[in-house]
Amino acid sequence: MTNVVVIGSQWGDEGKGKIVDWLSERADVVVRFQGGHNAGHTLVIDGVSYKLSLLPSGVVREGKFSLIGNGVVFDPHAFVAELERLAEKGVTVGPDRLRIAENTALILSVHRELDGIREDAASNSGTKIGTTRRGIGPAYEDKVGRRAIRAMDLKNMETLPAKVDRLLTHHNALRRGLGYEEVAHETLMDELQSVAETIVPYIDRVWKILDDYRRRGARILFEGAQGTLLDIDHGTYPFVTSSNTTAGQAATGSGIGPGSVGYVLGITKAYTTRVGEGPFPTEQDNDIGQFLGERGYEFGTVTGRKRRCGWFDAVLVRQAVAINGITGIALTKLDVLDGLDEIRICVGYKLDGEEIDYLPASQGAQARVEAIYETVEGWKATTAGARTWNDLPAQAVKYVRHIEELIGAPVALLSTSPERDDTILVTDPFHD
Ligand code: IMP
């Protein structure tokens, strides 16, 4: 049985929601393996729209099981709020349908505050990352620093105080240094106690559940968040998120062997966007960028921030194909390019006078690369709503074929509008 991992092959916001929704209908179990509630997408099912940030997409579908893996950083307050929002829409997500890995690190108020404090301080020094201020980075720091409070700790109120002390020793030292008030032990204990009762029934051994599903030959969908260029190792460091957003993390972030990951579907936008700070070689801070942003409705789902927009960067996506082992891509938002006379594609970079065909790893070099473009003819007819190749103008087909060639991976799905059925299916990633 083929399992599928869905990852973003650019800077996130490639349109994963619609594709994950479509795939989750075919899956038996849906697993989140990294990130936290910094992600966000909207699913529209039978005319009702659901906004999800932390919960896997399987939760809005009857008969699907959902898992939050150990690679996620889990904000219990965001979790409770998301459960409540779903309940208002008539969707009850109990432990019969969702489990959280016992070894998942928690995001607490101290992390959220620290994220905000640092971003505010950085605004004045020019080192701002432009985070979602959800506490993601500080929570991962504590996990790697071996002082995190983990989901399983909520089950044992006797051992919790010592863990809270250890965490606060670190945070209060930081807070003092930054000129902020210390957090009292009781405050954090109260915070944890207030959510423990709700969370504890969901806590489980996710690795074991996944192993059982795998042995039964069930279909597993690994739902990635953010995108390859935001990966802590492979992205545009330090302007990245604090987790591995690439396909390999599906295994370690959920507790399954890499051989079980299967098909890697890279969600890829027909142009490029990014939110937050950092290098963006094909950015168009001009009328074209404005056009793409307005036509593509490029505003963040989580923070509402305007996304930066630019031409398709084949260098970046080719690198993403290599790093993730992308089997096929889902190309999204092709219709946003409808009506343009000419379309540009970045096919290489110039760095200090020399041509290169990859994104260099250093921050300085990333800031200096200049895009080398190829210009292709646009198409006047609309691609919006196309459901077969024959519905597409010849130039649009040529654009898609050229992208395949440049990135070295085939298009498995082509999405031509936010509507679910407006999709051209070339290969079903779950197909055995
Ligand atoms: P953090 O993940 O909140 O720490 O933010 C770090 C960087 O990742 C910032 O540039 C954010 O804008 C970006 N980021 C985080 N989550 C997403 C997402 O879901 N889509 C796009 N960018 C994101």
Side-chain angles (χ1 to χ4, degrees):
M1 183 64 65
T2 309
N3 298 319
V4 178
V5 52
V6 169
I7 48 95
S9 55
Q10 293 147 320
W11 275 288
D13 309 314
E14 296 92 351
K16 283 187 230 62
K18 172 181 154 175
I19 311 289
V20 164
D21 173 31
W22 179 77
L23 287 168
S24 65
E25 197 180 26
R26 290 167 152 69
D28 298 302
V29 54
V30 186
V31 196
R32 281 280 310 267
F33 56 88
Q34 49 73 228
H37 63 309
N38 49 347
H41 56 239
T42 307
L43 303 179
V44 184
I45 297 170
D46 297 332
V48 185
S49 80
Y50 304 91
K51 279 194 194 313
L52 298 179
S53 285
L54 175 60
L55 297 178
S57 298
V59 294
V60 288
R61 293 201 168 276
E62 281 299 322
K64 309 290 171 191
F65 205 73
S66 293
L67 296 168
I68 294 182
N70 55 279
V72 168
V73 276
F74 180 86
D75 183 327
H77 303 290
F79 175 73
V80 171
E82 205 161 310
L83 287 187
E84 282 169 2
R85 279 199 300 275
L86 285 175
E88 279 164 19
K89 300 208 163 180
V91 180
T92 314
V93 186
D96 54 324
R97 302 181 46 192
L98 169 74
R99 299 290 161 84
I100 304 158
E102 56 188 359
N103 45 348
T104 302
L106 301 186
I107 301 181
L108 302 170
S109 54
V110 284
H111 300 117
R112 249 187 335 271
E113 279 171 35
L114 186 58
D115 201 351
I117 291 169
R118 284 181 177 157
E119 283 290 282
D120 288 342
S123 306
N124 310 321
S125 66
T127 52
K128 190 174 165 200
I129 304 293
T131 73
T132 58
R133 294 173 178 253
R134 299 290 192 271
I136 305 293
Y140 275 116
E141 283 172 41
D142 283 342
K143 171 181 174 169
V144 179
R146 296 169 287 199
R147 57 182 168 263
I149 309 279
R150 301 192 291 172
M152 66 175 86
D153 297 326
L154 297 174
K155 279 181 162 177
N156 193 338
M157 286 298 153
E158 274 170 26
T159 54
L160 192 58
K163 293 185 173 162
V164 164
D165 276 343
R166 189 176 51 180
L167 186 69
L168 283 182
T169 302
H170 176 80
H171 275 269
N172 282 335
L174 275 177
R175 293 173 72 96
R176 278 195 303 276
L178 292 163
Y180 283 80
E181 246 179 62
E182 293 192 15
V183 173
H185 174 90
E186 297 70 42
T187 308
L188 201 53
M189 279 301 292
D190 287 351
E191 180 182 337
L192 290 162
Q193 268 157 348
S194 72
V195 289
E197 203 184 326
T198 312
I199 310 290
V200 165
Y202 291 90
I203 298 173
D204 213 327
R205 284 174 298 153
V206 160
W207 66 267
K208 174 70 178 132
I209 298 172
L210 268 182
D211 192 49
D212 292 343
Y213 271 105
R214 182 184 67 80
R215 286 172 194 277
R216 266 186 268 145
R219 289 175 163 182
I220 307 170
L221 174 64
F222 299 93
E223 181 180 354
Q226 292 87 42
T228 301
L229 275 307
L230 288 171
D231 184 282
I232 185 75
D233 292 303
H234 300 289
T236 45
Y237 192 91
F239 304 101
V240 291
T241 191
S242 297
S243 63
N244 284 111
T245 57
T246 39
Q249 176 66 10
T252 42
S254 62
I256 199 166
S260 298
V261 169
Y263 194 103
V264 181
L265 184 67
I267 315 296
T268 309
K269 198 156 16 187
Y271 50 100
T272 315
T273 61
R274 92 169 284 179
V275 249
E277 309 301 314
F280 181 174
T282 61
E283 182 169 18
Q284 298 298 302
D285 194 8
N286 53 28
D287 288 354
I288 285 292
Q290 182 90 1
F291 170 87
L292 295 172
E294 279 166 18
R295 178 73 82 76
Y297 198 69
E298 297 294 353
F299 298 92
T301 324
V302 173
T303 58
R305 285 182 291 174
K306 206 170 163 195
R307 298 178 186 141
R308 298 155 65 191
C309 299
W311 295 117
F312 186 79
D313 189 333
V315 179
L316 292 186
V317 179
R318 188 167 58 229
Q319 202 151 314
V321 167
I323 288 166
N324 292 287
I326 287 175
T327 323
I329 65 163
L331 191 66
T332 63
K333 294 189 137 181
L334 184 66
D335 54 297
V336 172
L337 302 177
D338 289 355
L340 288 171
D341 291 328
E342 286 183 337
I343 299 170
R344 301 176 94 187
I345 305 174
C346 171
V347 293
Y349 296 137
K350 204 167 234 183
L351 176 65
D352 305 331
E354 259 181 60
E355 277 189 26
I356 55 170
D357 62 357
Y358 61 92
L359 183 73
S362 95
Q363 187 184 344
Q366 286 179 355
R368 289 200 308 282
V369 292
E370 289 167 48
I372 300 172
Y373 290 108
E374 205 180 278
T375 303
V376 298
E377 208 184 306
W379 51 88
K380 289 290 162 201
T382 176
T383 65
R387 295 182 184 187
T388 69
W389 288 104
N390 291 337
D391 296 337
L392 294 177
Q395 270 315 116
V397 175
K398 237 172 143 179
Y399 180 73
V400 175
R401 294 296 179 220
H402 194 40
I403 282 180
E404 286 181 318
E405 212 176 285
L406 289 168
I407 65 169
V411 168
L413 285 122
L414 186 67
S415 164
T416 55
S417 97
E419 290 299 319
R420 213 190 139 98
D421 294 332
D422 293 342
T423 306
I424 301 173
L425 176 64
V426 182
T427 311
D428 180 351
F430 271 125
H431 193 73
D432 301 325

